[in-house]
Amino acid sequence: MSTAAPRPADQDRLWSVDEHLADILAAVRPLEPIELQLPDAQGCVLVEDVTVPVSLPPFDNSSMDGYAVRVADVAGASEEFPAALDVVGDVAAGQQADLLYVGPGQAARIMTGAPLPSGAEAVVPVEWTDGGLGEGPVTGMRARSLAPEQASGHVRVYRPAEARAHVRAKGSDVKAGDRALDAGTVLGPPQIALLAAIGRGTVRVRPRPRVVVMSTGSELVQPGEELGSGQIYDSNSFALTAAARDAGAIAYRVGAVADDADTLRSTIEDQLVRADLVVTTGGVSVGAYDVVKEALEHVGDEDEAGSGIAFRKLAMQPGKPQGFGSIGPDHTPLLALPGNPVSSYVSFELFVRPAIRTLMGLDDVHRPTTRAKLTAEKALTSPKGRRQFLRATYADGAVSPVGGVGSHLIAALAHADSLIVVPEDAECVEPGTEVDVVLLG
């Protein structure tokens, strides 16, 4: 949750990208840990180390369908001179290991995952045997009762086996007392599988942040509806909702809000009940209908100490107008992004994604960056004093710009997997120059 209001905005000042981001991260705190069932913990971050309570696997077991044998009884076995053994019973997965004993000259049919019976030292795959049929090597196990007293007969083994062959040793995966997962681990499917395998039904995590995304503008129409004169489809709310989910959040998209300050304020207030973070897009510039700025610039008052939204101009392109602060009785963080699609998305990557990852309790909240050689037909130009972020494609240490610099060019954004970063003091970047690259994939 937000614990501090942003620094007051200076209407004439250009804030740097780093200053704005520092204000955001200083005001956002990780969510409080909760205990969750495993299916609900996917995507969440562990807040404590998890220790293995029981070895995995918890007993020696077979990795093949075949026969559990003593090594000496199959030494020297071949197709010409097979080892003939008495079958004393079947061992199935889930069966107790002490129901059978394999003595000299004996074997037990065993299934994959079944416990190795006492006396047995190795498993020979069924394909190395005649399967008890007396007709040469077989390709699979024939059906038979799982009751040991009803399983009898003989089996011929055509190959020798070394000690522990095809046996999964107790604790060969993890041993009791080992650390299974470290605090700070994001729980994906493999981690959920490990927790279940060691018997953990619940786990203590920081929950995934709930992010409410809404775009503003009376010109916006939902995809699938008919476009009227002067109208465009709302793409920002869909893009940012998807981006929030990609960052690890539970995201809720609100339909576009018309250019009315009272409507916007009431819509945001209605959404606070399910929001750990609110993201708006559009209406933060200096136009006559910049509704977000009109609705939220004076939202803080004496009844909500520490709340309020500051609107700023940043020394960056795209994404110069930005807003940040907190709103409501719980001081829910709110980030107000510009409305141009590319500006909105770049701003999300620079500011909103790190906020989401901070709420999750992660240490590394930023996209990875690298250095790459610029591949372009001509030099890149950039406004002096602005940090420019250009859509690009990256591969094998080289990066190429995609599309123009216009902040409305969604098609170019759809083909980009990175951002070229042109620093504030550079007005021209020649092809072949090494540049900083933010990797979006």
Side-chain angles (χ1 to χ4, degrees):
M1 284 302 193
S2 177
T3 58
R7 295 194 293 251
D10 183 338
Q11 295 296 324
D12 298 323
R13 177 184 170 186
L14 273 182
W15 295 71
S16 73
V17 171
D18 296 334
E19 287 175 325
H20 188 61
L21 178 60
D23 266 4
I24 293 170
L25 297 185
V28 175
R29 296 289 181 267
L31 299 176
E32 289 298 316
I34 58 175
E35 192 84 12
L36 287 179
Q37 298 285 333
L38 288 190
D40 300 322
Q42 183 175 352
C44 297
V45 178
L46 275 176
V47 297
E48 58 189 5
D49 297 337
V50 175
T51 302
V52 179
V54 61
S55 295
L56 190 66
F59 49 82
D60 290 350
N61 69 91
S62 176
S63 66
M64 304 285 288
D65 290 340
Y67 290 84
V69 300
R70 289 173 176 256
V71 172
D73 290 335
V74 296
S78 66
E79 289 199 28
E80 186 178 1
F81 299 105
L85 305 175
D86 295 327
V87 179
V88 296
D90 287 358
V91 190
Q95 187 174 318
Q96 287 181 257
D98 57 0
L99 292 180
L100 281 179
Y101 177 80
V102 176
Q106 296 179 332
R109 286 206 328 160
I110 192 167
M111 311 306 160
T112 302
L116 191 71
S118 300
E121 299 167 326
V123 173
V124 291
V126 66
E127 294 87 356
W128 296 6
T129 77
D130 67 354
L133 301 177
E135 300 173 357
V138 296
T139 58
M141 194 77 80
R142 65 172 179 170
R144 184 178 285 180
S145 168
L146 296 180
E149 65 274 10
Q150 297 177 17
S152 60
H154 308 278
V155 66
R156 289 182 174 85
V157 180
Y158 301 112
R159 292 175 61 177
E162 297 179 353
R164 310 296 291 175
H166 305 110
V167 174
R168 301 169 179 150
K170 175 182 178 179
S172 57
D173 192 351
V174 289
K175 294 180 174 61
D178 286 351
R179 184 178 297 176
L181 296 170
D182 295 328
T185 299
V186 179
L187 299 181
Q191 292 76 31
I192 296 290
L194 176 56
L195 290 167
I198 63 175
R200 287 292 295 263
T202 64
V203 67
R204 191 163 177 77
V205 297
R206 296 193 191 277
R208 295 168 62 196
R210 300 164 303 162
V211 177
V212 171
V213 176
M214 64 181 73
S215 49
T216 63
S218 298
E219 78 281 9
L220 298 178
V221 175
Q222 297 304 298
E225 298 179 4
E226 194 79 22
L227 279 180
S229 177
Q231 294 182 320
I232 60 172
Y233 288 120
D234 172 21
S235 64
N236 284 359
S237 66
F238 287 90
L240 299 188
T241 301
R245 289 173 181 158
D246 181 71
I250 298 171
Y252 305 104
R253 190 190 70 85
V254 179
V257 181
D259 290 321
D260 180 79
D262 291 336
T263 301
L264 177 61
R265 271 194 300 267
S266 63
T267 301
I268 292 175
E269 289 168 0
D270 289 343
Q271 294 297 321
L272 292 179
V273 67
R274 62 172 182 173
D276 298 306
L277 175 68
V278 176
V279 179
T280 67
T281 171
V284 295
S285 190
V286 293
Y289 298 100
D290 287 324
V291 65
V292 175
K293 193 171 184 181
E294 179 186 351
L296 301 180
E297 195 165 25
H298 305 292
V299 73
D301 58 35
E302 64 274 8
D303 296 326
E304 298 175 7
S307 69
I309 310 297
F311 291 89
R312 301 169 172 172
K313 298 174 184 177
L314 268 58
M316 64 180 286
Q317 187 184 50
K320 180 180 178 181
Q322 300 283 337
F324 166 68
S326 65
I327 189 169
D330 295 324
H331 307 311
T332 303
L334 183 147
L335 279 85
L337 310 183
N340 280 320
V342 177
S343 302
S344 175
Y345 183 73
V346 169
S347 298
F348 180 96
E349 289 292 340
L350 296 180
F351 308 123
V352 183
R353 184 181 174 90
I356 290 173
R357 308 289 279 180
T358 299
L359 288 167
M360 293 175 67
L362 291 168
D363 293 328
D364 187 2
V365 300
H366 303 288
R367 288 285 198 185
T369 60
T370 189
R371 295 279 289 175
K373 183 176 292 187
L374 175 64
T375 302
E377 294 181 357
K378 60 181 181 179
L380 303 181
T381 58
S382 184
K384 185 177 181 180
R386 305 284 179 88
R387 187 180 304 180
Q388 185 167 214
F389 298 88
L390 298 171
R391 290 140 289 171
T393 56
Y394 169 83
D396 302 324
V399 66
S400 302
V402 176
V405 297
S407 56
H408 65 291
L409 301 175
I410 305 175
L413 182 62
H415 293 92
D417 59 14
S418 57
L419 296 173
I420 297 171
V421 183
V422 182
E424 290 86 342
D425 59 356
E427 296 181 67
C428 180
V429 182
E430 295 290 342
T433 305
E434 275 209 343
V435 293
D436 289 323
V437 179
V438 179
L439 303 177
L440 302 178

